[in-house]
């Protein structure tokens, strides 16, 4: 069900006005989406890493050549959109895909019922000073293509919630028309397939604040939320939100669908195995 951009923004601003955080959730399966919505989530985001993640693979599989990311998100939409009642559903779009005409693809996403977009897979996860990232940028598959995709979606009236990794990207995405800036701290830690290398929470809060300030300098109305790295559990998000100013929420993918699932299935199985006969 496509939710109009203005209606989506009005909802999100209402959440903040009531003193509550905006919470986005990644959904790799229909059941993840269904129960995240019942839990009160404000945004649902589906992209190829959700499928890999819920199949027991690391989320960074979404950046490797294991499938057509944009085709996968269309397939996932068929699984997720029919079980969502009212929550806006965003598509993770590989904006650097050289085999897609983005104007046409964004129109198709809207037609299928997506309410907005996010830039994933994103080359922002590759270190800017690495040779690989420089080569990606030099050969026409850089982050600027993701900015262009967000601008296209904004012009088509879709809700736009891009990942940013630097202050410059926060400014550029806001200039392109982003509604919600998602300050990305890297691959989520914790759990069986989470990252072990990440910032600490104090450094993450400082970086999120810097992204927030850069975006707000361009457009005071843009909303900024945080995601990833050491911000894995509710207490982590609470720390960041309490140690920043103006940051209004959290987007969890592994945090909302993978980590709870790992614990719940393992613990439930143990309880069954402990039944005496």
């Amino acid at each position: 069900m496509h939710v109009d951009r203005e209606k989506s923004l009005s909802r999100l601003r209402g959440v903040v006005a009531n003193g509550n955080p905006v919470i986005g959730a990644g959904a790799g399966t229909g059941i993840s989406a269904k129960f995240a919505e019942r839990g009160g989530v404000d945004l649902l985001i589906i992209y190829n890493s959700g499928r890999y993640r819920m199949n027991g693979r690391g989320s960074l599989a979404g950046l490797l050549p294991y499938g057509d990311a944009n085709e996968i998100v269309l397939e996932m939409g068929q699984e997720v959109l029919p079980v969502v009642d009212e929550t806006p559903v965003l598509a993770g779009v590989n904006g650097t895909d050289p085999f897609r005409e983005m104007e046409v693809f964004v129109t198709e996403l809207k037609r299928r019922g997506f309410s907005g977009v996010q830039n994933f897979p994103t080359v922002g996860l590759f270190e800017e000073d690495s040779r690989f990232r420089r080569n990606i940028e030099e050969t026409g598959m850089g982050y600027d293509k993701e900015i262009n995709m967000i601008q296209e979606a904004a012009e088509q009236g879709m809700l736009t919630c891009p990942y940013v990794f630097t202050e410059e990207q926060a400014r550029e995405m806001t200039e392109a028309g982003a509604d919600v800036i998602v300050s990305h701290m890297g691959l989520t830690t914790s759990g069986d397939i989470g990252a072990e290398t990440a910032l600490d929470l104090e450094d993450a809060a400082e970086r999120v604040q810097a992204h927030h300030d850069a975006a707000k300098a361009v457009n005071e109305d843009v909303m900024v939320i945080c995601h990833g790295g050491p911000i894995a559990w509710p207490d982590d998000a609470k720390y960041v939100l309490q140690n920043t100013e103006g940051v209004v929420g959290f987007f969890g993918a592994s945090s909302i669908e993978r980590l709870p699932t790992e614990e719940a299935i393992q613990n439930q199985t143990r309880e069954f195995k402990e039944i005496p006969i």
Side-chain angles (χ1 to χ4, degrees):
M1 178 191 70
H2 175 78
V3 182
D4 178 78
R5 174 179 176 270
E6 290 305 322
K7 184 176 181 180
S8 298
L9 285 172
S10 178
R11 285 183 184 178
L12 297 179
R13 289 171 181 147
V15 169
V16 176
N18 289 331
N20 297 314
V22 169
I23 302 297
T29 66
I31 198 166
S32 298
K34 178 182 288 189
F35 287 95
E37 183 174 50
R38 290 190 189 179
V41 77
D42 301 299
L43 296 168
L44 286 163
I45 302 94
I46 61 177
Y47 49 76
N48 67 334
S49 274
R51 173 169 289 181
Y52 295 129
R53 179 168 54 241
M54 298 308 285
N55 276 295
R57 276 70 176 183
S59 295
L60 290 183
L63 276 72
L64 296 172
Y66 303 143
D68 180 340
N70 286 328
E71 186 63 32
I72 288 171
V73 82
L74 293 178
E75 295 171 2
M76 293 174 71
Q78 294 175 334
E79 301 162 0
V80 171
L81 287 164
V83 300
V84 175
D85 292 325
E86 298 180 348
T87 308
V89 179
L90 279 60
V93 178
N94 182 2
T96 68
D97 185 347
F99 301 102
R100 299 275 178 176
E101 181 62 47
M102 277 300 142
E103 180 180 356
V104 175
F105 188 59
V106 170
T107 300
E108 176 66 8
L109 291 170
K110 190 173 181 179
R111 186 187 71 81
R112 289 184 179 227
F114 286 98
S115 300
V117 300
Q118 186 172 66
N119 55 322
F120 195 91
T122 171
V123 300
L125 281 164
F126 300 124
E127 291 291 337
E128 282 196 316
D129 59 356
S130 69
R131 179 179 296 177
F132 182 75
R133 174 65 181 278
R134 290 198 301 270
N135 289 164
I136 285 286
E137 299 287 344
E138 291 164 356
T139 53
M141 295 175 285
Y143 191 85
D144 62 306
K145 294 295 191 297
E146 299 178 27
I147 296 172
N148 293 342
M149 181 275 293
I150 291 296
Q151 183 171 357
E152 176 62 41
E155 290 173 354
Q156 291 198 32
M158 297 191 81
L159 187 70
T160 51
C161 305
Y163 281 137
V164 305
F165 301 82
T166 68
E167 294 168 58
E168 180 182 5
Q169 290 171 2
R171 286 189 291 268
E172 290 174 335
M173 281 297 194
T174 306
E175 289 169 353
D179 299 305
V180 180
I181 293 292
V182 185
S183 178
H184 200 309
M185 296 296 106
L187 186 65
T188 301
T189 60
S190 297
D192 186 64
I193 53 174
E196 295 182 11
T197 303
L199 299 169
D200 61 31
L201 277 173
E202 184 177 352
D203 289 339
E206 291 180 4
R207 185 175 293 185
V208 171
Q209 186 70 63
H211 295 171
H212 166 276
D213 295 348
K216 286 285 190 177
V218 175
N219 179 5
E220 184 60 34
D221 292 331
V222 72
M223 286 175 273
V224 179
I225 65 177
C226 58
H227 168 75
I231 318 170
W233 299 96
D235 282 348
D236 303 328
K238 181 179 180 181
Y239 175 89
V240 173
L241 294 180
Q242 291 182 342
N243 287 274
T244 53
E245 184 175 347
V247 179
V248 297
F250 169 73
F251 166 52
S254 292
S255 298
I256 287 181
E257 65 172 353
R258 174 176 65 82
L259 296 178
T261 300
E262 287 180 7
E263 289 196 351
I265 292 176
Q266 183 170 293
N267 292 338
Q268 183 85 333
T269 304
R270 282 176 176 165
E271 286 191 33
F272 277 107
K273 285 296 293 180
E274 290 168 0
I275 298 172
I277 56 173

